[in-house]
């Protein structure tokens, strides 16, 4: 990941962390092209239709401003299941179940560097205050499903071959 994309990623993560501290959980997309643009959506985690609508709007803006890079981040609950499967669900006010962890799931795209995936795991103090880890980039082969935040956005932004 180049420096400009890393800077954009840290900006998005910082903004989302502030939202999570305020007990808000929007999906965020930041993009840089002819100008810098941020989009957020509070309904993203509600259902697949809301997620699709937001990623479609974001893709339209990526194309409109001729973005060379973008980052999408969404707070989710991760469930790790053997042998190496990860399932995710929307965050909620309910306690975490065994094997679950809250995390910011992110995807970035850069025209020159390609795509990176990662997360920012966090835990909560007894008071409910979140404590965030540093962003983690997945350096192992992953196969994101179409439900992965940013998957539709990426698909719509790539040239058809």
């Amino acid at each position: 990941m180049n420096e400009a994309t890393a800077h954009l990623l840290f900006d998005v993560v910082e903004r989302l962390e502030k939202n999570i501290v305020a007990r808000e959980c929007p999906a965020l997309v930041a993009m840089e092209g002819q100008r810098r643009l941020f989009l957020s959506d509070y309904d993203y985690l509600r259902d697949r239709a809301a997620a699709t609508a937001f990623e479609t709007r974001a893709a339209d803006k990526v194309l409109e401003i001729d973005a060379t890079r973008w980052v999408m981040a969404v707070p989710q609950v991760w469930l790790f299941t053997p042998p190496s499967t990860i399932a995710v669900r929307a965050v909620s006010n309910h306690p975490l179940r065994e094997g679950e962890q809250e995390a910011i799931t992110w995807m970035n795209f850069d025209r020159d560097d390609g795509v990176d995936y990662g997360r920012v795991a966090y835990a909560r103090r007894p008071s409910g205050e979140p404590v965030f880890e540093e962003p983690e980039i997945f350096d192992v082969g992953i196969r994101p499903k179409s439900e992965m935040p940013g998957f539709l956005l990426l698909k719509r932004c790539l040239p058809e071959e």
Side-chain angles (χ1 to χ4, degrees):
M1 176 182 319
N2 65 40
E3 188 175 327
T5 304
H7 180 70
L8 190 62
L9 171 64
F10 284 109
D11 192 358
V12 169
V13 166
E14 182 179 316
R15 288 170 187 252
L16 194 49
E17 287 175 353
K18 288 178 182 176
N19 276 277
I20 291 168
V21 168
R23 298 197 180 271
E24 298 175 349
C25 296
L28 294 178
V29 176
M31 54 193 81
E32 291 181 340
Q34 296 168 348
R35 65 180 196 263
R36 187 179 239 201
L37 181 63
F38 287 86
L39 303 175
S40 64
D41 188 277
Y42 288 87
D43 292 332
Y44 184 90
L45 293 172
R46 185 186 68 214
D47 58 36
R48 192 71 200 136
T52 298
F54 179 63
E55 290 195 38
T56 299
R57 285 192 311 273
D60 291 345
K61 289 296 182 184
V62 163
L63 297 173
E64 179 183 312
I65 70 166
D66 192 27
T68 57
R69 70 185 52 85
W70 53 260
V71 175
M72 180 168 184
V74 179
Q76 294 183 309
V77 174
W78 287 45
L79 172 62
F80 299 91
T81 57
S84 60
T85 302
I86 300 170
V88 296
R89 68 172 174 85
V91 292
S92 70
N93 292 325
H94 301 291
L96 295 176
R97 294 172 268 196
E98 178 137 359
E100 290 185 331
Q101 180 179 31
E102 290 179 292
I104 296 169
T105 305
W106 60 265
M107 175 190 288
N108 74 281
F109 170 79
D110 184 285
R111 276 190 198 160
D112 296 328
D113 288 346
V115 180
D116 291 303
Y117 306 93
R119 71 183 193 136
V120 177
Y122 61 99
R124 294 189 183 267
R125 293 189 169 122
S127 66
E129 177 187 359
V131 178
F132 299 95
E133 295 180 11
E134 290 297 314
E136 172 187 0
I137 298 174
F138 299 139
D139 55 3
V140 296
I142 63 170
R143 290 187 215 148
K145 293 188 175 189
S146 61
E147 296 82 20
M148 166 83 177
F151 188 88
L152 176 64
L153 173 58
L154 178 65
K155 189 174 177 182
R156 291 191 54 142
C157 293
L158 292 176
E160 300 210 13
E161 296 179 4

PDB file of all heavy atoms in Angstrom, residues 131-161:
ATOM      1  N   VAL A 131     -11.558   0.075  22.772  1.00  0.00           N
ATOM      2  CA  VAL A 131     -10.112   0.237  22.695  1.00  0.00           C
ATOM      3  C   VAL A 131      -9.690  -0.399  21.376  1.00  0.00           C
ATOM      4  O   VAL A 131      -9.873  -1.598  21.180  1.00  0.00           O
ATOM      5  CB  VAL A 131      -9.402  -0.451  23.878  1.00  0.00           C
ATOM      6  CG1 VAL A 131      -7.899  -0.307  23.742  1.00  0.00           C
ATOM      7  CG2 VAL A 131      -9.901   0.116  25.201  1.00  0.00           C
ATOM      8  N   PHE A 132      -9.142   0.411  20.483  1.00  0.00           N
ATOM      9  CA  PHE A 132      -8.845  -0.015  19.120  1.00  0.00           C
ATOM     10  C   PHE A 132      -7.398  -0.467  18.953  1.00  0.00           C
ATOM     11  O   PHE A 132      -6.488   0.144  19.488  1.00  0.00           O
ATOM     12  CB  PHE A 132      -9.123   1.128  18.141  1.00  0.00           C
ATOM     13  CG  PHE A 132     -10.545   1.586  18.144  1.00  0.00           C
ATOM     14  CD1 PHE A 132     -10.939   2.664  18.923  1.00  0.00           C
ATOM     15  CD2 PHE A 132     -11.492   0.937  17.378  1.00  0.00           C
ATOM     16  CE1 PHE A 132     -12.260   3.084  18.937  1.00  0.00           C
ATOM     17  CE2 PHE A 132     -12.811   1.346  17.384  1.00  0.00           C
ATOM     18  CZ  PHE A 132     -13.189   2.426  18.169  1.00  0.00           C
ATOM     19  N   GLU A 133      -7.210  -1.516  18.168  1.00  0.00           N
ATOM     20  CA  GLU A 133      -5.875  -1.937  17.769  1.00  0.00           C
ATOM     21  C   GLU A 133      -5.466  -1.148  16.529  1.00  0.00           C
ATOM     22  O   GLU A 133      -6.262  -0.380  15.981  1.00  0.00           O
ATOM     23  CB  GLU A 133      -5.876  -3.444  17.465  1.00  0.00           C
ATOM     24  CG  GLU A 133      -6.160  -4.297  18.673  1.00  0.00           C
ATOM     25  CD  GLU A 133      -6.154  -5.790  18.373  1.00  0.00           C
ATOM     26  OE1 GLU A 133      -5.725  -6.191  17.267  1.00  0.00           O
ATOM     27  OE2 GLU A 133      -6.572  -6.553  19.253  1.00  0.00           O
ATOM     28  N   GLU A 134      -4.264  -1.374  16.063  1.00  0.00           N
ATOM     29  CA  GLU A 134      -3.802  -0.742  14.832  1.00  0.00           C
ATOM     30  C   GLU A 134      -4.429  -1.463  13.634  1.00  0.00           C
ATOM     31  O   GLU A 134      -4.733  -2.654  13.709  1.00  0.00           O
ATOM     32  CB  GLU A 134      -2.276  -0.821  14.732  1.00  0.00           C
ATOM     33  CG  GLU A 134      -1.557   0.062  15.728  1.00  0.00           C
ATOM     34  CD  GLU A 134      -1.835   1.537  15.524  1.00  0.00           C
ATOM     35  OE1 GLU A 134      -1.781   2.014  14.370  1.00  0.00           O
ATOM     36  OE2 GLU A 134      -2.133   2.220  16.530  1.00  0.00           O
ATOM     37  N   PRO A 135      -4.603  -0.761  12.509  1.00  0.00           N
ATOM     38  CA  PRO A 135      -5.116  -1.438  11.317  1.00  0.00           C
ATOM     39  C   PRO A 135      -4.216  -2.606  10.905  1.00  0.00           C
ATOM     40  O   PRO A 135      -2.993  -2.514  10.948  1.00  0.00           O
ATOM     41  CB  PRO A 135      -5.103  -0.344  10.248  1.00  0.00           C
ATOM     42  CG  PRO A 135      -5.215   0.928  11.020  1.00  0.00           C
ATOM     43  CD  PRO A 135      -4.449   0.680  12.296  1.00  0.00           C
ATOM     44  N   GLU A 136      -4.854  -3.699  10.554  1.00  0.00           N
ATOM     45  CA  GLU A 136      -4.168  -4.919  10.140  1.00  0.00           C
ATOM     46  C   GLU A 136      -4.477  -5.154   8.662  1.00  0.00           C
ATOM     47  O   GLU A 136      -5.631  -5.095   8.243  1.00  0.00           O
ATOM     48  CB  GLU A 136      -4.715  -6.076  10.984  1.00  0.00           C
ATOM     49  CG  GLU A 136      -4.281  -7.435  10.583  1.00  0.00           C
ATOM     50  CD  GLU A 136      -5.011  -8.524  11.383  1.00  0.00           C
ATOM     51  OE1 GLU A 136      -5.852  -8.221  12.240  1.00  0.00           O
ATOM     52  OE2 GLU A 136      -4.720  -9.700  11.106  1.00  0.00           O
ATOM     53  N   ILE A 137      -3.430  -5.401   7.882  1.00  0.00           N
ATOM     54  CA  ILE A 137      -3.596  -5.730   6.470  1.00  0.00           C
ATOM     55  C   ILE A 137      -3.466  -7.236   6.341  1.00  0.00           C
ATOM     56  O   ILE A 137      -2.525  -7.830   6.862  1.00  0.00           O
ATOM     57  CB  ILE A 137      -2.528  -5.041   5.598  1.00  0.00           C
ATOM     58  CG1 ILE A 137      -2.646  -3.525   5.699  1.00  0.00           C
ATOM     59  CG2 ILE A 137      -2.649  -5.494   4.149  1.00  0.00           C
ATOM     60  CD1 ILE A 137      -1.538  -2.779   4.988  1.00  0.00           C
ATOM     61  N   PHE A 138      -4.407  -7.861   5.665  1.00  0.00           N
ATOM     62  CA  PHE A 138      -4.332  -9.299   5.459  1.00  0.00           C
ATOM     63  C   PHE A 138      -3.231  -9.592   4.453  1.00  0.00           C
ATOM     64  O   PHE A 138      -3.275  -9.109   3.330  1.00  0.00           O
ATOM     65  CB  PHE A 138      -5.659  -9.859   4.952  1.00  0.00           C
ATOM     66  CG  PHE A 138      -6.804  -9.637   5.898  1.00  0.00           C
ATOM     67  CD1 PHE A 138      -8.042  -9.276   5.422  1.00  0.00           C
ATOM     68  CD2 PHE A 138      -6.644  -9.776   7.264  1.00  0.00           C
ATOM     69  CE1 PHE A 138      -9.106  -9.076   6.277  1.00  0.00           C
ATOM     70  CE2 PHE A 138      -7.692  -9.582   8.140  1.00  0.00           C
ATOM     71  CZ  PHE A 138      -8.935  -9.229   7.647  1.00  0.00           C
ATOM     72  N   ASP A 139      -2.261 -10.372   4.871  1.00  0.00           N
ATOM     73  CA  ASP A 139      -1.170 -10.716   3.969  1.00  0.00           C
ATOM     74  C   ASP A 139      -1.216 -12.183   3.569  1.00  0.00           C
ATOM     75  O   ASP A 139      -0.262 -12.737   3.070  1.00  0.00           O
ATOM     76  CB  ASP A 139       0.186 -10.370   4.575  1.00  0.00           C
ATOM     77  CG  ASP A 139       0.407 -11.016   5.934  1.00  0.00           C
ATOM     78  OD1 ASP A 139      -0.464 -11.775   6.387  1.00  0.00           O
ATOM     79  OD2 ASP A 139       1.460 -10.761   6.535  1.00  0.00           O
ATOM     80  N   VAL A 140      -2.363 -12.798   3.798  1.00  0.00           N
ATOM     81  CA  VAL A 140      -2.589 -14.166   3.345  1.00  0.00           C
ATOM     82  C   VAL A 140      -3.658 -14.120   2.278  1.00  0.00           C
ATOM     83  O   VAL A 140      -4.442 -13.182   2.213  1.00  0.00           O
ATOM     84  CB  VAL A 140      -3.034 -15.087   4.507  1.00  0.00           C
ATOM     85  CG1 VAL A 140      -1.934 -15.206   5.535  1.00  0.00           C
ATOM     86  CG2 VAL A 140      -4.309 -14.596   5.141  1.00  0.00           C
ATOM     87  N   GLY A 141      -3.676 -15.112   1.446  1.00  0.00           N
ATOM     88  CA  GLY A 141      -4.684 -15.158   0.394  1.00  0.00           C
ATOM     89  C   GLY A 141      -6.084 -15.245   0.983  1.00  0.00           C
ATOM     90  O   GLY A 141      -6.345 -16.082   1.835  1.00  0.00           O
ATOM     91  N   ILE A 142      -6.948 -14.344   0.582  1.00  0.00           N
ATOM     92  CA  ILE A 142      -8.342 -14.402   1.016  1.00  0.00           C
ATOM     93  C   ILE A 142      -9.226 -14.362  -0.212  1.00  0.00           C
ATOM     94  O   ILE A 142      -8.835 -13.860  -1.252  1.00  0.00           O
ATOM     95  CB  ILE A 142      -8.723 -13.256   1.986  1.00  0.00           C
ATOM     96  CG1 ILE A 142      -8.589 -11.890   1.299  1.00  0.00           C
ATOM     97  CG2 ILE A 142      -7.912 -13.306   3.253  1.00  0.00           C
ATOM     98  CD1 ILE A 142      -9.170 -10.766   2.087  1.00  0.00           C
ATOM     99  N   ARG A 143     -10.394 -14.895  -0.047  1.00  0.00           N
ATOM    100  CA  ARG A 143     -11.388 -14.865  -1.116  1.00  0.00           C
ATOM    101  C   ARG A 143     -12.640 -14.199  -0.583  1.00  0.00           C
ATOM    102  O   ARG A 143     -13.483 -14.862   0.019  1.00  0.00           O
ATOM    103  CB  ARG A 143     -11.708 -16.276  -1.581  1.00  0.00           C
ATOM    104  CG  ARG A 143     -10.565 -16.893  -2.324  1.00  0.00           C
ATOM    105  CD  ARG A 143     -10.964 -18.204  -2.923  1.00  0.00           C
ATOM    106  NE  ARG A 143      -9.772 -19.052  -2.837  1.00  0.00           N
ATOM    107  CZ  ARG A 143      -9.805 -20.334  -2.682  1.00  0.00           C
ATOM    108  NH1 ARG A 143     -10.938 -20.960  -2.574  1.00  0.00           N
ATOM    109  NH2 ARG A 143      -8.693 -21.019  -2.621  1.00  0.00           N
ATOM    110  N   PRO A 144     -12.749 -12.885  -0.767  1.00  0.00           N
ATOM    111  CA  PRO A 144     -13.930 -12.215  -0.237  1.00  0.00           C
ATOM    112  C   PRO A 144     -15.180 -12.631  -0.997  1.00  0.00           C
ATOM    113  O   PRO A 144     -15.147 -12.852  -2.203  1.00  0.00           O
ATOM    114  CB  PRO A 144     -13.625 -10.742  -0.434  1.00  0.00           C
ATOM    115  CG  PRO A 144     -12.629 -10.700  -1.531  1.00  0.00           C
ATOM    116  CD  PRO A 144     -11.855 -11.983  -1.456  1.00  0.00           C
ATOM    117  N   LYS A 145     -16.252 -12.756  -0.265  1.00  0.00           N
ATOM    118  CA  LYS A 145     -17.534 -13.060  -0.884  1.00  0.00           C
ATOM    119  C   LYS A 145     -18.195 -11.755  -1.304  1.00  0.00           C
ATOM    120  O   LYS A 145     -17.763 -10.670  -0.929  1.00  0.00           O
ATOM    121  CB  LYS A 145     -18.418 -13.819   0.106  1.00  0.00           C
ATOM    122  CG  LYS A 145     -17.888 -15.198   0.425  1.00  0.00           C
ATOM    123  CD  LYS A 145     -18.886 -15.963   1.250  1.00  0.00           C
ATOM    124  CE  LYS A 145     -18.379 -17.380   1.444  1.00  0.00           C
ATOM    125  NZ  LYS A 145     -19.376 -18.229   2.049  1.00  0.00           N
ATOM    126  N   SER A 146     -19.254 -11.862  -2.040  1.00  0.00           N
ATOM    127  CA  SER A 146     -19.933 -10.669  -2.535  1.00  0.00           C
ATOM    128  C   SER A 146     -20.503  -9.821  -1.401  1.00  0.00           C
ATOM    129  O   SER A 146     -20.797  -8.650  -1.595  1.00  0.00           O
ATOM    130  CB  SER A 146     -21.048 -11.061  -3.510  1.00  0.00           C
ATOM    131  OG  SER A 146     -22.006 -11.870  -2.869  1.00  0.00           O
ATOM    132  N   GLU A 147     -20.634 -10.383  -0.199  1.00  0.00           N
ATOM    133  CA  GLU A 147     -21.145  -9.640   0.941  1.00  0.00           C
ATOM    134  C   GLU A 147     -20.075  -8.795   1.623  1.00  0.00           C
ATOM    135  O   GLU A 147     -20.372  -7.988   2.496  1.00  0.00           O
ATOM    136  CB  GLU A 147     -21.749 -10.589   1.993  1.00  0.00           C
ATOM    137  CG  GLU A 147     -22.956 -11.361   1.518  1.00  0.00           C
ATOM    138  CD  GLU A 147     -22.589 -12.616   0.709  1.00  0.00           C
ATOM    139  OE1 GLU A 147     -21.434 -13.100   0.817  1.00  0.00           O
ATOM    140  OE2 GLU A 147     -23.440 -13.096  -0.037  1.00  0.00           O
ATOM    141  N   MET A 148     -18.816  -8.968   1.240  1.00  0.00           N
ATOM    142  CA  MET A 148     -17.718  -8.206   1.850  1.00  0.00           C
ATOM    143  C   MET A 148     -17.924  -6.728   1.586  1.00  0.00           C
ATOM    144  O   MET A 148     -18.182  -6.329   0.448  1.00  0.00           O
ATOM    145  CB  MET A 148     -16.391  -8.665   1.237  1.00  0.00           C
ATOM    146  CG  MET A 148     -15.211  -7.776   1.488  1.00  0.00           C
ATOM    147  SD  MET A 148     -14.499  -8.139   3.066  1.00  0.00           S
ATOM    148  CE  MET A 148     -13.106  -7.020   3.063  1.00  0.00           C
ATOM    149  N   PRO A 149     -17.829  -5.892   2.634  1.00  0.00           N
ATOM    150  CA  PRO A 149     -17.942  -4.446   2.395  1.00  0.00           C
ATOM    151  C   PRO A 149     -16.942  -3.988   1.349  1.00  0.00           C
ATOM    152  O   PRO A 149     -15.753  -4.286   1.434  1.00  0.00           O
ATOM    153  CB  PRO A 149     -17.626  -3.839   3.767  1.00  0.00           C
ATOM    154  CG  PRO A 149     -18.038  -4.892   4.742  1.00  0.00           C
ATOM    155  CD  PRO A 149     -17.681  -6.199   4.062  1.00  0.00           C
ATOM    156  N   GLY A 150     -17.426  -3.308   0.329  1.00  0.00           N
ATOM    157  CA  GLY A 150     -16.596  -2.806  -0.750  1.00  0.00           C
ATOM    158  C   GLY A 150     -16.553  -3.692  -1.980  1.00  0.00           C
ATOM    159  O   GLY A 150     -16.086  -3.268  -3.032  1.00  0.00           O
ATOM    160  N   PHE A 151     -17.055  -4.926  -1.884  1.00  0.00           N
ATOM    161  CA  PHE A 151     -16.977  -5.864  -3.009  1.00  0.00           C
ATOM    162  C   PHE A 151     -17.734  -5.320  -4.233  1.00  0.00           C
ATOM    163  O   PHE A 151     -17.205  -5.304  -5.343  1.00  0.00           O
ATOM    164  CB  PHE A 151     -17.530  -7.227  -2.594  1.00  0.00           C
ATOM    165  CG  PHE A 151     -17.329  -8.307  -3.622  1.00  0.00           C
ATOM    166  CD1 PHE A 151     -16.161  -9.054  -3.632  1.00  0.00           C
ATOM    167  CD2 PHE A 151     -18.296  -8.579  -4.572  1.00  0.00           C
ATOM    168  CE1 PHE A 151     -15.955 -10.056  -4.576  1.00  0.00           C
ATOM    169  CE2 PHE A 151     -18.101  -9.576  -5.526  1.00  0.00           C
ATOM    170  CZ  PHE A 151     -16.932 -10.309  -5.524  1.00  0.00           C
ATOM    171  N   LEU A 152     -18.952  -4.885  -4.033  1.00  0.00           N
ATOM    172  CA  LEU A 152     -19.744  -4.339  -5.145  1.00  0.00           C
ATOM    173  C   LEU A 152     -19.121  -3.042  -5.652  1.00  0.00           C
ATOM    174  O   LEU A 152     -19.039  -2.826  -6.868  1.00  0.00           O
ATOM    175  CB  LEU A 152     -21.192  -4.107  -4.719  1.00  0.00           C
ATOM    176  CG  LEU A 152     -22.092  -3.460  -5.760  1.00  0.00           C
ATOM    177  CD1 LEU A 152     -22.258  -4.358  -6.988  1.00  0.00           C
ATOM    178  CD2 LEU A 152     -23.464  -3.145  -5.172  1.00  0.00           C
ATOM    179  N   LEU A 153     -18.663  -2.208  -4.745  1.00  0.00           N
ATOM    180  CA  LEU A 153     -18.010  -0.960  -5.118  1.00  0.00           C
ATOM    181  C   LEU A 153     -16.804  -1.252  -6.017  1.00  0.00           C
ATOM    182  O   LEU A 153     -16.646  -0.663  -7.077  1.00  0.00           O
ATOM    183  CB  LEU A 153     -17.578  -0.207  -3.854  1.00  0.00           C
ATOM    184  CG  LEU A 153     -16.725   1.043  -4.009  1.00  0.00           C
ATOM    185  CD1 LEU A 153     -17.409   2.086  -4.874  1.00  0.00           C
ATOM    186  CD2 LEU A 153     -16.405   1.614  -2.634  1.00  0.00           C
ATOM    187  N   LEU A 154     -15.981  -2.200  -5.613  1.00  0.00           N
ATOM    188  CA  LEU A 154     -14.815  -2.586  -6.407  1.00  0.00           C
ATOM    189  C   LEU A 154     -15.235  -3.113  -7.776  1.00  0.00           C
ATOM    190  O   LEU A 154     -14.696  -2.687  -8.806  1.00  0.00           O
ATOM    191  CB  LEU A 154     -13.997  -3.639  -5.658  1.00  0.00           C
ATOM    192  CG  LEU A 154     -12.777  -4.183  -6.379  1.00  0.00           C
ATOM    193  CD1 LEU A 154     -11.749  -3.074  -6.589  1.00  0.00           C
ATOM    194  CD2 LEU A 154     -12.176  -5.339  -5.613  1.00  0.00           C
ATOM    195  N   LYS A 155     -16.196  -4.002  -7.784  1.00  0.00           N
ATOM    196  CA  LYS A 155     -16.648  -4.587  -9.041  1.00  0.00           C
ATOM    197  C   LYS A 155     -17.156  -3.525 -10.015  1.00  0.00           C
ATOM    198  O   LYS A 155     -16.876  -3.578 -11.211  1.00  0.00           O
ATOM    199  CB  LYS A 155     -17.753  -5.611  -8.744  1.00  0.00           C
ATOM    200  CG  LYS A 155     -18.149  -6.440  -9.909  1.00  0.00           C
ATOM    201  CD  LYS A 155     -19.128  -7.522  -9.495  1.00  0.00           C
ATOM    202  CE  LYS A 155     -19.566  -8.306 -10.712  1.00  0.00           C
ATOM    203  NZ  LYS A 155     -20.527  -9.316 -10.420  1.00  0.00           N
ATOM    204  N   ARG A 156     -17.877  -2.549  -9.485  1.00  0.00           N
ATOM    205  CA  ARG A 156     -18.437  -1.497 -10.346  1.00  0.00           C
ATOM    206  C   ARG A 156     -17.381  -0.506 -10.835  1.00  0.00           C
ATOM    207  O   ARG A 156     -17.571   0.157 -11.837  1.00  0.00           O
ATOM    208  CB  ARG A 156     -19.545  -0.747  -9.624  1.00  0.00           C
ATOM    209  CG  ARG A 156     -20.773  -1.643  -9.421  1.00  0.00           C
ATOM    210  CD  ARG A 156     -21.935  -0.854  -8.964  1.00  0.00           C
ATOM    211  NE  ARG A 156     -22.168   0.251  -9.898  1.00  0.00           N
ATOM    212  CZ  ARG A 156     -23.335   0.689 -10.271  1.00  0.00           C
ATOM    213  NH1 ARG A 156     -24.403   0.120  -9.815  1.00  0.00           N
ATOM    214  NH2 ARG A 156     -23.461   1.699 -11.080  1.00  0.00           N
ATOM    215  N   CYS A 157     -16.267  -0.410 -10.111  1.00  0.00           N
ATOM    216  CA  CYS A 157     -15.229   0.559 -10.468  1.00  0.00           C
ATOM    217  C   CYS A 157     -14.157   0.001 -11.393  1.00  0.00           C
ATOM    218  O   CYS A 157     -13.409   0.748 -11.988  1.00  0.00           O
ATOM    219  CB  CYS A 157     -14.560   1.103  -9.209  1.00  0.00           C
ATOM    220  SG  CYS A 157     -15.671   2.106  -8.210  1.00  0.00           S
ATOM    221  N   LEU A 158     -14.065  -1.324 -11.461  1.00  0.00           N
ATOM    222  CA  LEU A 158     -13.051  -1.927 -12.325  1.00  0.00           C
ATOM    223  C   LEU A 158     -13.524  -1.944 -13.764  1.00  0.00           C
ATOM    224  O   LEU A 158     -14.698  -2.185 -14.031  1.00  0.00           O
ATOM    225  CB  LEU A 158     -12.744  -3.354 -11.873  1.00  0.00           C
ATOM    226  CG  LEU A 158     -12.037  -3.496 -10.533  1.00  0.00           C
ATOM    227  CD1 LEU A 158     -11.889  -4.970 -10.168  1.00  0.00           C
ATOM    228  CD2 LEU A 158     -10.678  -2.809 -10.557  1.00  0.00           C
ATOM    229  N   PRO A 159     -12.617  -1.713 -14.698  1.00  0.00           N
ATOM    230  CA  PRO A 159     -13.013  -1.776 -16.105  1.00  0.00           C
ATOM    231  C   PRO A 159     -13.411  -3.201 -16.473  1.00  0.00           C
ATOM    232  O   PRO A 159     -12.830  -4.166 -15.981  1.00  0.00           O
ATOM    233  CB  PRO A 159     -11.761  -1.341 -16.867  1.00  0.00           C
ATOM    234  CG  PRO A 159     -10.648  -1.412 -15.898  1.00  0.00           C
ATOM    235  CD  PRO A 159     -11.212  -1.392 -14.511  1.00  0.00           C
ATOM    236  N   GLU A 160     -14.418  -3.301 -17.308  1.00  0.00           N
ATOM    237  CA  GLU A 160     -14.874  -4.622 -17.742  1.00  0.00           C
ATOM    238  C   GLU A 160     -13.881  -5.218 -18.724  1.00  0.00           C
ATOM    239  O   GLU A 160     -13.359  -4.533 -19.588  1.00  0.00           O
ATOM    240  CB  GLU A 160     -16.262  -4.506 -18.376  1.00  0.00           C
ATOM    241  CG  GLU A 160     -17.269  -3.967 -17.405  1.00  0.00           C
ATOM    242  CD  GLU A 160     -18.652  -4.477 -17.673  1.00  0.00           C
ATOM    243  OE1 GLU A 160     -18.784  -5.420 -18.451  1.00  0.00           O
ATOM    244  OE2 GLU A 160     -19.576  -3.915 -17.101  1.00  0.00           O
ATOM    245  N   GLU A 161     -13.611  -6.491 -18.553  1.00  0.00           N
ATOM    246  CA  GLU A 161     -12.640  -7.144 -19.438  1.00  0.00           C
ATOM    247  C   GLU A 161     -13.324  -8.159 -20.299  1.00  0.00           C
ATOM    248  O   GLU A 161     -14.258  -8.766 -19.986  1.00  0.00           O
ATOM    249  CB  GLU A 161     -11.556  -7.805 -18.607  1.00  0.00           C
ATOM    250  CG  GLU A 161     -10.770  -6.773 -17.830  1.00  0.00           C
ATOM    251  CD  GLU A 161      -9.680  -7.400 -16.969  1.00  0.00           C
ATOM    252  OE1 GLU A 161      -9.464  -8.619 -17.011  1.00  0.00           O
ATOM    253  OE2 GLU A 161      -9.036  -6.634 -16.282  1.00  0.00           O
TER     254      GLU A 161
END
